[in-house]
Amino acid sequence: MEPLAPHEKIFVDSEILDDENHGEIACHECHGGNPDDPNWKTAHEGVVKDPTYPDATAACGDCHDEINENYQNSLHVTLKPYRLTIDKRASTNPVIRDTVERAMDNHCYYCHSSCGQCHISRPNFVDGGFLDGHLFMRKPPVQEVCTACHGSRIQKEYFGEHGGLRPDVHREKYMKCEKCHSGEEMHGDGKEYANRYEVENGPKCVDCHKGIYERDAKNVITHRIHKDEVSCHVCHSQPYNNCSSCHVGKDRNDLPFYKTKASWFDFKIGLNPLKSETRPEKFVTLRHNPVNREIFDFYVKDGLSGFDNVPTWKLATPHNIRRKTAQNSSCNACHGNESLFLLKKDVEDKEREANKGIIVPAKLIPSTQKWQPK
Amino acid sequence: MLNTKVGVSVMRCLRWFGVAIVFCLVVILGNPLTGQAYEDTQCFKCHTSAKQLIEITREIAKTRPAAKSEEIEGEG
């Protein structure tokens, strides 16, 4: 994604006046400031850069009341998975916990979205800037918005930006994010979910691939045998990006920074850490997260004294689906193939306790098959 | 006498008719007038002028410190 020059970020296209829905709302009605003051410095006193975060009611709520109400609980705003994960890992000492929360404020909670940061500008995480001269975009552009944040994993995987790996087959069919991730899903349905896998109107492969278990479907035997045993991604993902070790702190100018070690592409099948009625599979793909016990040491020692309460490898749904993959080329490409599974030896000593529930014991690795369905 | 009363009634009707027309004109023309006012604000004039924005952002860049730490390393 090309960076924008500073003036491009705030250039307004006068075509906005032709927008029959938003063209009659004056700038100051949403952003504040003094529209009659010719001095830009004083005119901007009290200006709100993004009037849609944290509360979009005043800016959007009058017309988009239902979306506005639901959006307050969407994962893009609540960042609930971060909060819940840190709640489980953080020290129970209230003083240390408060310090961890402050660190989270500095480093983690700015990674949210808002109405404006999807439909008007690039997200703050990538330094903002209007998408198209402050014109309102009903469907956010993929690369300026979606993968601007979901870049190191989804973008690299979906577009095949890693040597030797192919783009997602859906990408080759020119499918954009919104084809699977609808506006309704993005805006939320008003319920507060703990993570994206619980979201009721989130995408499921079988929403489109409805007939895979039907008698005359291609590969029906394979699909039926593995139904509820392995996730779709176990058979149909290519290797995906994993991150490790993150350290956060503030530099001499008091600016927050993070340092992560080099990421790596890998493919690991583990035991499902989020087994549920909607995700009953025993085996799923797991991705290593950029987290470590000392992540907040700059702020406080032992901030994550409950580090072992949550696995560092988490359920992943890599966005690099192929119909044919190395592991589904034959039964025994996977069955009996230890290298595909997250074993004890694949997990660092200091993380073994945290991951004990998802490491695959040798006895659970499916044994090699003599028979192969046609 | 009768003619005078009819004349007064007609005049009253016409007056109300006139008021209604003026009201409609205000409603119909009101919107373009609002649009015009919006275009005339300092915000709009400046933010639609690339030249002015380049000058101002250069001025800001000279005085405002970097917003992102140079110590950031790796993928976020």
Side-chain angles (χ1 to χ4, degrees):
Chain A
M1 184 178 63
E2 283 293 311
L4 294 170
H7 73 279
E8 286 177 312
K9 290 183 177 181
I10 50 172
F11 178 79
V12 173
D13 189 330
S14 53
E15 215 176 273
I16 195 172
L17 292 174
D18 300 331
D19 179 338
E20 59 180 355
N21 297 314
H22 304 100
E24 287 167 13
I25 305 168
C27 312
H28 64 279
E29 288 179 49
C30 292
H31 294 281
N34 184 354
D36 302 317
D37 188 346
N39 180 330
W40 69 267
K41 286 178 185 163
T42 47
H44 283 80
E45 278 170 14
V47 159
V48 179
K49 188 180 163 193
D50 179 0
T52 67
Y53 187 84
D55 187 356
T57 307
C60 313
D62 280 350
C63 298
H64 306 281
D65 49 346
E66 195 183 334
I67 292 174
N68 175 55
E69 209 171 295
N70 289 343
Y71 142 92
Q72 308 290 344
N73 282 327
S74 90
L75 291 173
H76 274 113
V77 175
T78 63
L79 306 177
K80 202 75 180 178
Y82 279 168
R83 294 179 195 276
L84 291 176
T85 306
I86 292 300
D87 278 349
K88 286 181 194 161
R89 284 185 176 137
S91 165
T92 50
N93 176 323
V95 179
I96 297 178
R97 183 71 187 84
D98 283 350
T99 313
V100 168
E101 191 62 25
R102 187 160 50 84
M104 292 286 286
D105 276 338
N106 290 338
H107 301 277
C108 311
Y109 295 151
Y110 70 84
C111 216
H112 58 76
S113 194
S114 68
C115 310
Q117 290 177 51
C118 281
H119 295 284
I120 298 169
S121 74
R122 296 178 179 188
N124 277 355
F125 176 69
V126 287
D127 297 334
F130 297 147
L131 296 167
D132 189 8
H134 203 296
L135 300 183
F136 290 72
M137 305 195 77
R138 188 177 169 81
K139 292 184 177 177
V142 171
Q143 283 176 302
E144 281 87 358
V145 175
C146 313
T147 58
C149 290
H150 301 279
S152 24
R153 288 162 282 274
I154 307 301
Q155 179 182 317
K156 281 186 179 177
E157 292 160 13
Y158 197 66
F159 294 100
E161 295 174 358
H162 188 79
L165 297 174
R166 298 180 67 186
D168 191 297
V169 68
H170 303 92
R171 157 70 180 159
E172 288 184 339
K173 306 283 181 196
Y174 303 105
M175 286 168 64
K176 293 182 177 174
C177 307
E178 89 247 2
K179 190 79 179 172
C180 295
H181 299 283
S182 65
E184 288 75 26
E185 183 202 352
M186 293 298 101
H187 295 147
D189 59 8
K191 294 179 190 166
E192 204 171 347
Y193 294 107
N195 60 64
R196 64 179 176 276
Y197 301 113
E198 286 183 0
V199 175
E200 285 168 22
N201 59 4
K204 294 171 191 69
C205 305
V206 289
D207 291 346
C208 290
H209 301 277
K210 293 183 201 303
I212 58 167
Y213 302 116
E214 285 170 16
R215 199 174 164 180
D216 54 351
K218 210 169 184 181
N219 299 319
V220 61
I221 296 175
T222 313
H223 283 138
R224 281 186 182 175
I225 288 172
H226 292 91
K227 185 174 187 287
D228 295 345
E229 289 294 319
V230 303
S231 69
C232 305
H233 293 81
V234 165
C235 295
H236 293 286
S237 297
Q238 303 171 84
Y240 43 85
N241 203 8
N242 290 266
C243 301
S244 67
S245 174
C246 183
H247 287 92
V248 296
K250 283 192 161 188
D251 68 12
R252 61 182 186 281
N253 297 318
D254 207 35
L255 292 171
F257 67 82
Y258 61 81
K259 290 176 194 260
T260 55
K261 280 188 185 165
S263 56
W264 76 98
F265 269 65
D266 202 353
F267 178 91
K268 286 292 172 196
I269 301 166
L271 300 179
N272 186 353
L274 294 175
K275 221 170 176 181
S276 67
E277 203 176 306
T278 51
R279 289 193 180 262
E281 300 90 8
K282 187 198 285 181
F283 292 111
V284 295
T285 38
L286 297 174
R287 190 197 299 273
H288 195 280
N289 271 5
V291 67
N292 51 283
R293 202 180 296 268
E294 303 81 20
I295 188 170
F296 296 123
D297 271 10
F298 174 87
Y299 293 90
V300 62
K301 293 285 177 201
D302 295 326
L304 298 188
S305 56
F307 185 76
D308 292 335
N309 294 338
V310 185
T312 54
W313 292 76
K314 60 176 285 203
L315 173 62
T317 47
H319 281 54
N320 56 9
I321 296 298
R322 303 297 304 183
R323 189 167 159 263
K324 290 183 179 175
T325 57
Q327 70 275 18
N328 75 14
S329 58
S330 69
C331 295
N332 292 331
C334 181
H335 284 246
N337 185 353
E338 274 194 3
S339 68
L340 297 180
F341 293 83
L342 186 75
L343 305 176
K344 199 172 168 186
K345 67 178 174 59
D346 299 315
V347 179
E348 282 187 76
D349 288 349
K350 59 184 179 182
E351 293 187 3
R352 285 207 182 131
E353 180 63 20
N355 294 293
K356 65 182 177 191
I358 57 164
I359 291 172
V360 182
K363 63 179 181 190
L364 286 186
I365 296 174
S367 52
T368 51
Q369 299 288 302
K370 286 179 184 160
W371 174 81
Q372 171 147 344
K374 286 180 185 172
Chain B
M1 188 71 174
L2 188 65
N3 282 347
T4 315
K5 279 186 178 173
V6 170
V8 169
S9 298
V10 169
M11 287 299 287
R12 276 185 187 159
C13 283
L14 283 175
R15 192 187 300 157
W16 282 114
F17 186 65
V19 168
I21 288 175
V22 169
F23 178 77
C24 290
L25 284 173
V26 167
V27 170
I28 293 164
L29 297 177
N31 285 338
L33 283 172
T34 312
Q36 189 62 44
Y38 172 15
E39 253 179 293
D40 288 341
T41 62
Q42 293 297 327
C43 332
F44 195 81
K45 279 183 189 167
C46 183
H47 279 269
T48 52
S49 162
K51 186 172 179 285
Q52 266 183 284
L53 290 179
I54 289 169
E55 285 167 4
I56 291 171
T57 50
R58 278 181 185 163
E59 194 181 327
I60 293 170
K62 280 180 199 163
T63 53
R64 196 173 283 182
K68 259 192 174 172
S69 173
E70 289 174 2
E71 290 193 40
I72 290 174
E73 279 175 26
E75 290 174 318

